[in-house]
Amino acid sequence: MKKGQVYIGTVEEFVFPNKGIIYYEEKPGAEMPPADTVSAEKLIYKVIVKDALPGETIRFQLSKKRSGKYEGRLLEVLSRGEIENEVPKCPHFGICGGCSFQTLSYENQLKLKSGMVRSILDSVLEKPYEFEGIIGSPQEWAYRNKMEFSFGDACKGGELALGMHKKGSFYDIVTTDSCKIVHEDYNLILKTVLNYFKERGIPFYHKMSKEGYLRHLLLRRAVKTGEMTIGLVTTTSLALDLSDLTEALLSLNPKGRIVGILHIFNDGLADMVRSDRTEVLYGSEFFYEEILGLKFKISTFSFFQTNSLGAEKLYEKAREYVGDTKDKLIFDLYSGTGTIAQMLAAVAKKVIGVEIVEEAVEAARENAKLNGLENCEFIAGDVLKVIDGIKEKPDLIVLDPPRDGIHPKALEKIIDYGMEKIVYISCKPTSLARDLEVLTKRGYEVVKGCAVDMFPGTGHVETVVLMSRVKE
């Protein structure tokens, strides 16, 4: 196989989160392959192609060929797989890089995700455990409570666009004004903002030249309360009066209620949403959401699960795994805005949360007061450095780390507590599997596990496992 050439193949395997595996057989007469191919005798190569689904026959271009790994870029789906029985609901599907599972019924999405999680866990767990399958999202559509839209153009020199990155592209932006995984209020606001800047000819920030003004549109909307905040992210290259835009947004008639409009300044080089300085154009920087009877104050950059109703299912399962908490001290490590900690605090002696993002810790403290919980303590800092300074010894530990999992040294310190029970929540099962290998070697076994779908239409999935210390 040669880099840059186009091939045709059928996806025989599928791995988390969205990688199709093709075993491509070279025609007779070709040069002998290197030893890292699947079979030197038959000239069979294992090629990974992102966004290619099981059973699909596709055209792909070989994009990477190094260190024994072959990767292809999806060019065209020639025929769909047997599990693809749905007509995509979203008009942007196939162009936008946001969703890849819309040709699958939701039932088939859940089967595929459940199978991936089970396969990943089985690959590292030697002892038998109970796998409880997958819990679906209460809403398949319009489930997201947060979206970051990018300004750009659909093609070089094209008109201003606002939406998601084009599939497979770092630069091109697709205007996603009919997105189906967000509430219709998002699309209404997006159209209003885009038209406002189009009419005025305001330029977007170009990643290559580092010039321009418009960067991102950050929208957040609570499912339970309907409260919304709008964040416009720009550089400081222009000094614009945005009062007309503010009035235009406030004159809309959304289903929810706009409680804050923010102008966020970001002159950083990285293509990410962050704030050097934030100016409140209207209202406040925060909104309120409700989860399992608790109220949460969420600021612009606070971490909060993007699927509010799905989060309730996730936390209910975590609470079930935690079990009896009466008179127990619980450590909630990587606690974010303290959602899990507060959920457990109502039935525990005390909960100590540790989180590295200071803004999230402040939000957690405010939320605990808001919910009348006095037995929650939140500490700002890296888990690796903080837990040595905590004098109390926990009766139970709940882990909910970021996507990359737990730092190896922090994991060793957690294990050294010798807890009888650990509940681990993960948004990336491959990172979970890596940490489970360490935990099982150090005296723990997985009792049960469950997948929870928080991201319909995509390959991402949450996983919860209950571990217990093996008795000597």
Side-chain angles (χ1 to χ4, degrees), residues 136-301:
S137 171
Q139 288 183 194
E140 181 184 353
W141 305 103
Y143 62 85
R144 288 190 65 95
N145 59 37
K146 176 185 176 183
M147 282 293 275
E148 296 176 358
F149 296 111
S150 299
F151 286 96
D153 50 15
C155 58
K156 190 174 182 179
E159 67 175 7
L160 184 66
L162 175 57
M164 304 296 289
H165 282 267
K166 189 176 182 180
K167 182 177 286 188
S169 175
F170 180 69
Y171 297 102
D172 300 339
I173 299 297
V174 180
T175 294
T176 51
D177 54 8
S178 299
C179 179
K180 300 301 181 187
I181 62 172
V182 297
H183 191 278
E184 61 189 82
D185 285 350
Y186 285 67
N187 297 319
L188 176 64
I189 293 168
L190 184 149
K191 291 175 186 177
T192 302
V193 172
L194 178 59
N195 290 336
Y196 177 87
F197 288 113
K198 266 187 179 181
E199 290 171 0
R200 288 157 180 76
I202 305 299
F204 67 90
Y205 177 77
H206 292 258
K207 298 185 187 73
M208 292 293 289
S209 67
K210 314 300 181 188
E211 296 176 346
Y213 182 70
L214 300 167
R215 299 195 71 155
H216 298 95
L217 179 65
L218 172 59
L219 302 181
R220 305 192 74 160
R221 184 186 191 278
V223 173
K224 296 287 182 69
T225 67
E227 295 183 350
M228 293 184 288
T229 57
I230 301 170
L232 175 69
V233 186
T234 75
T235 66
T236 57
S237 61
L238 298 175
L240 296 185
D241 180 359
L242 298 176
S243 56
D244 287 348
L245 174 61
T246 302
E247 289 179 15
L249 291 169
L250 293 176
S251 68
L252 297 176
N253 188 29
K255 298 286 178 65
R257 182 168 65 92
I258 298 172
V259 297
I261 301 175
L262 316 170
H263 187 185
I264 301 165
F265 298 94
N266 174 16
D267 285 322
L269 298 179
D271 184 27
M272 61 182 292
V273 177
R274 69 174 185 84
S275 171
D276 296 334
R277 178 170 62 90
T278 297
E279 179 183 345
V280 179
L281 302 178
Y282 168 80
S284 67
E285 293 188 58
F286 59 84
F287 64 97
Y288 289 97
E289 178 64 295
E290 296 173 5
I291 297 286
L292 295 174
L294 296 173
K295 198 169 185 179
F296 293 93
K297 179 182 178 181
I298 305 168
S299 61
T300 307
F301 292 100

Side-chain angles (χ1 to χ4, degrees), residues 52-73:
L53 295 173
E56 287 185 341
T57 299
I58 64 168
R59 286 177 63 247
F60 66 95
Q61 183 180 46
L62 194 67
S63 56
K64 290 184 181 179
K65 177 185 175 182
R66 64 170 181 262
S67 302
K69 293 185 179 180
Y70 296 80
E71 295 181 19
R73 184 169 65 88

